[in-house]
Structures are given as C-alpha cells and as structure tokens.
Amino acid sequence: MPTSPVASPSTAPERTRQLRRVALSGLLGTAVEFYDFLVYGTVAALVFGELFFPGADPAVGTIAAFGTFAAGYVARPLGGIIFGHFGDRLGRKSMLLLTMGLMGGASFLIGLLPTYDAIGVWAPVLLITLRVLQGIAIGGEWGGATLMVVEHAGERRRGLWSSFTQMGAPLGSLLSSLVVTFVVAMPRDQFAAWGWRVPFLLSVVLLGVGLFVRLKVVESPLFAEVKKDSAEARLPILDVLRRPRPLLLACCVGIGAFTAQSLLTSYMIAYATGIGYARPQVLTALTVSACVALVVLPCASALSDRIGRRPVVLAGALASAALAFPVLSLVDSKSPGLLILAVVLGHGVAQSTMYGPLGALLTEMFGTRVRYTGASLGYQGATLIGAGFSPMIAGSLVAGSGGGTPVALLVCGGSLITALTVLFVRETSRTSLADTAERNPAPHTEEISA
C-alpha cells in the first residue's frame, strides 16, 4: 500500500540514506542507554555505598547501592507499557525523542546530586527517584529504536541492520569504561569528592549528538501505513496480553544474555576488585571485551540473516553456559591477563552471540499494530529478570559463600533458560513484517497469518 512521501522516501538512494540514519540513531540511543546504566553500575560498585549509604557494613552498602541499580530495571517494564502505548498509537519518532531526552537528563542530574553527608536520607531517595525515571525512559528506548531500524529495513538484512542498535551496548560499555578508567586514576579522596560525577555529567555530550541525529529521522513506513488506514490498536497492551505466548517467549529468550551481561560487566568490577584486582585492571578487561563485542555482534546478527535467528542464539546460549565455570576460574586466578581472557570469552564472544540477533528476533515476533509495546515489554521483562536482580543476588550469595561459584551458577542458569526457550520460538528471519499475526506457534507448526 502506498505511503506518504514524508514517511516513505520515494527514491532508493533516499530510502538507503534514511535507513543509515535510523541505524545511527538506534546505535546512539542504545549507547546512551548502556553508558548511563553501566556508569551507574560501575560507580555504584566503587563509591556509592559510602556516599549514599554510609554507616553500613561495606558488603551491605554495596548491596544497597546495587539495589538502586535494580530499581532502574524494575521501572523498565512500566516504561515499555507507557512508551509502547503511545508509540503504537501516535508514532515511533516522537517517543524516541522523549526517551532519549529523559535518559540523558536523568543521568546528568545524578551527577549533580548531593551526597548523604550533605542532605541526609534525601540523597538516596533522590538517587532512587532518578534511577526510576531513567528506567522508565529506557523501557521505551530499545524497543522503539530497534523496530524503527527493522521496519525501515523491511525485508533487507534485518538482522544486520538491527545489529547497529545492539552495538550500542558495547559502545556504551566502552565509553563508560574509558571515562571511568580516567577518573578512577585520580587520588581516592578526589574521586570520592567529585571525580565520580564526571562520567554522569559527560552523558550530556552523547545526548546532544543523539538528539541531533534523531531529529532528522522520518517515521516508520510500516507504522505510517497503519496510521493512514486508522488501524492503530486502541490499547496495545491488552492486545499483547490477550495472546501472551509471544510476550512470554520474548521475555525468556533474552534472560541469558542479560544475566551474563550484568554479571560479567557491572558486577564483575565489585567481584574482581574484592578478590584483589586493581580497578584499572578490571576496567581494561571490560574495555577489551567491549571492543571484541563490537565485532562479534554484527557478525552474529548477519549470520542470523543467513541461517536463522534461532541457531545463532542457541549457539551463544550453549557457549555461555559451557564457559560459565571456566570463566570464573580464570577470574579467580587473580592474573590480569587471564581476567581479560575470561571477560572476552564470557561477554565479548558468548554473550554477544546470544545478544546480537535478539533485536531482529523480538521485533519480528509482533505485528506492526502492537510491535512497540510487545517488543519493549519482552525485552524489558528479560532485562528485569536477567539483569535487574542478578548483581544484588550475586553480591548476597558471594558474601555468604566467600567464592565465585554463585556467579557462575547464575550465568549458567540464565543461559540454559535461553537455550530451552529457543526450542519453542518459531524462526522469524524469513517472516514478512507486513504479516500482522500476533501468534507465535511452536517450531515446525503451520505459520498463521492474520
């Protein structure tokens, strides 16, 4: 069906130009998302316990700091519902401008927060409030950014193009590691006094660049068709919940990737420094891993266009489960070189192979009328279960056991959940996005089109 010139450029070069611009927008949006969250996770592991939760046992302070980390994840599904609703009703672009502004703004304000010594209990209250606002914004960011890329790509290499949004994760991790590496090199008293604020304040630079690019993006052509036909879902969340199978599968299939990501990046800083590594050594390992992930992600996503999403995600999940205990053994060796190898294998290779095709897979599991809501809720549900509580649970179990076995068990368990779920997800790499079916039958069953 023809679409408006504004929503669908008339020439092939202009369509390609718009696709590249949308892909860059998705990359920057996810980079802001992961930069903000990983900066918080890193700083929480280093100083937030003493700055915002003083007087507590050091282990308790760290757990409390990661509790505010989890608060951001708890808010994500709410953001998926809110922004998904309006994204499916009003359009993708306007919601993505709003989510990016809220994400960057909340991070910037965290950098300005007074500590407990200055305003008492209001310090952690304000910190948690900003984390919740940040989580709500992020809840609508990934789904909208990814589906914009996929819907603009149409039937052309959706996995490869969606990998740009996925690459925002290691890019955000790389930027956060570089900035934090710089500030932690400061004397301890200066870092605790003001140095920890610098990474949060610098997020405004990413925010400015991201908004500049996003303003030049046009609306999704598939949504423009739905809008033209006045076929928008009145309450997208109800349509998604009436047929909950795709949503439940989307949540479960992402658990392994997010469990591994949170434990082998943010939590690894607290764990590794706790057993004797210097902070720069841990941050170096995370930086190298992020560089490797920037290569593995697009390769895994492109491969999923050729052989399917399911085989690639399954291979990554099984590799992550198999490597969980060897990776922790390498970390426990207390060798800086083996620490780098461990994080590269567990996060840069195995986790990235799992994570790469998820953007296209989750987007393809829902029809255009509810795609923003469905993909957002599936993704954020996976992050809540897989990443939101993992650092806090790991911190509690490690404090009780004195060893890293609980971390390996959590990574292995999450990866096996993903591997099992893949067996119940139908292949979507050859599915037309024009198919508005909301069902997700089991593999090898007849595909139903609405």
Side-chain angles (χ1 to χ4, degrees), residues 347-420:
H347 178 256
V349 177
Q351 189 273 347
S352 296
T353 302
M354 242 193 308
Y355 182 65
L358 282 182
L361 175 61
L362 268 61
T363 304
E364 291 161 350
M365 290 171 69
F366 299 92
T368 304
R369 295 174 67 251
V370 299
R371 186 169 287 135
Y372 202 142
T373 300
S376 294
L377 279 180
Y379 182 91
Q380 301 309 337
T383 62
L384 173 61
I385 299 168
F389 298 104
S390 295
M392 190 165 51
I393 294 171
S396 301
L397 294 176
V398 168
S401 68
T405 300
V407 180
L409 286 172
L410 287 170
V411 172
C412 185
S415 299
L416 290 177
I417 289 173
T418 290
L420 180 63

Side-chain angles (χ1 to χ4, degrees), residues 204-244:
V204 74
V205 177
L206 266 179
L207 173 62
V209 175
L211 288 175
F212 176 78
V213 173
R214 194 157 280 184
L215 282 168
K216 295 179 177 294
V217 170
V218 300
E219 184 57 87
S220 156
L222 287 179
F223 178 78
E225 292 184 13
V226 170
K227 190 75 173 174
K228 182 178 180 180
D229 294 339
S230 300
E232 308 97 313
R234 291 187 60 188
L235 288 172
I237 182 63
L238 293 184
D239 286 357
V240 170
L241 294 179
R242 283 192 190 105
R243 295 183 177 128

Side-chain angles (χ1 to χ4, degrees), residues 187-401:
R188 174 70 182 180
D189 58 338
Q190 292 184 25
F191 176 71
W194 60 270
W196 66 269
R197 300 180 184 276
V198 173
F200 293 102
L201 298 177
L202 286 178
S203 66
V204 74
V205 177
L206 266 179
L207 173 62
V209 175
L211 288 175
F212 176 78
V213 173
R214 194 157 280 184
L215 282 168
K216 295 179 177 294
V217 170
V218 300
E219 184 57 87
S220 156
L222 287 179
F223 178 78
E225 292 184 13
V226 170
K227 190 75 173 174
K228 182 178 180 180
D229 294 339
S230 300
E232 308 97 313
R234 291 187 60 188
L235 288 172
I237 182 63
L238 293 184
D239 286 357
V240 170
L241 294 179
R242 283 192 190 105
R243 295 183 177 128
R245 179 183 171 88
L247 178 60
L248 293 174
L249 291 175
C251 287
C252 292
V253 80
I255 286 175
F258 292 112
T259 302
Q261 185 271 326
S262 66
L263 293 178
L264 297 178
T265 55
S266 297
Y267 179 74
M268 184 53 63
I269 297 171
Y271 178 77
T273 54
I275 63 174
Y277 287 97
R279 285 175 295 183
Q281 293 173 333
V282 185
L283 293 172
T284 297
L286 294 180
T287 301
V288 174
S289 174
C291 292
V292 172
L294 284 171
V295 176
V296 175
L297 277 168
C299 291
S301 301
L303 182 62
S304 77
D305 283 329
R306 297 182 64 86
I307 68 173
R309 318 292 183 218
R310 297 172 68 238
V312 179
V313 174
L314 180 61
L318 293 177
S320 181
L323 288 170
F325 284 93
V327 161
L328 261 294
S329 296
L330 292 174
V331 174
D332 288 340
S333 71
K334 302 185 181 179
S335 164
L338 293 181
L339 172 67
I340 293 175
L341 177 61
V343 180
V344 165
L345 288 175
H347 178 256
V349 177
Q351 189 273 347
S352 296
T353 302
M354 242 193 308
Y355 182 65
L358 282 182
L361 175 61
L362 268 61
T363 304
E364 291 161 350
M365 290 171 69
F366 299 92
T368 304
R369 295 174 67 251
V370 299
R371 186 169 287 135
Y372 202 142
T373 300
S376 294
L377 279 180
Y379 182 91
Q380 301 309 337
T383 62
L384 173 61
I385 299 168
F389 298 104
S390 295
M392 190 165 51
I393 294 171
S396 301
L397 294 176
V398 168
S401 68

Side-chain angles (χ1 to χ4, degrees), residues 37-115:
F37 257 67
L38 293 175
V39 159
Y40 180 91
T42 304
V43 176
L46 298 176
V47 296
F48 271 11
E50 63 189 76
L51 293 178
F52 290 90
F53 306 94
D57 174 87
V60 175
T62 299
I63 293 170
F66 277 119
T68 61
F69 187 70
Y73 279 102
V74 171
R76 284 180 171 212
L78 176 60
I81 294 173
I82 294 172
F83 289 104
H85 173 83
F86 290 105
D88 283 326
R89 291 283 299 164
L90 304 178
R92 290 39 168 138
K93 178 180 175 178
S94 57
M95 294 302 105
L96 288 174
L97 289 170
L98 184 55
T99 58
M100 182 175 279
L102 284 175
M103 280 192 309
S107 184
F108 182 78
L109 290 176
I110 289 175
L112 299 177
L113 273 183
T115 61

Side-chain angles (χ1 to χ4, degrees), residues 17 126 135 153 191 281 319 436:
R17 210 164 17 246
L126 291 174
F191 176 71
Q281 293 173 333
T436 58

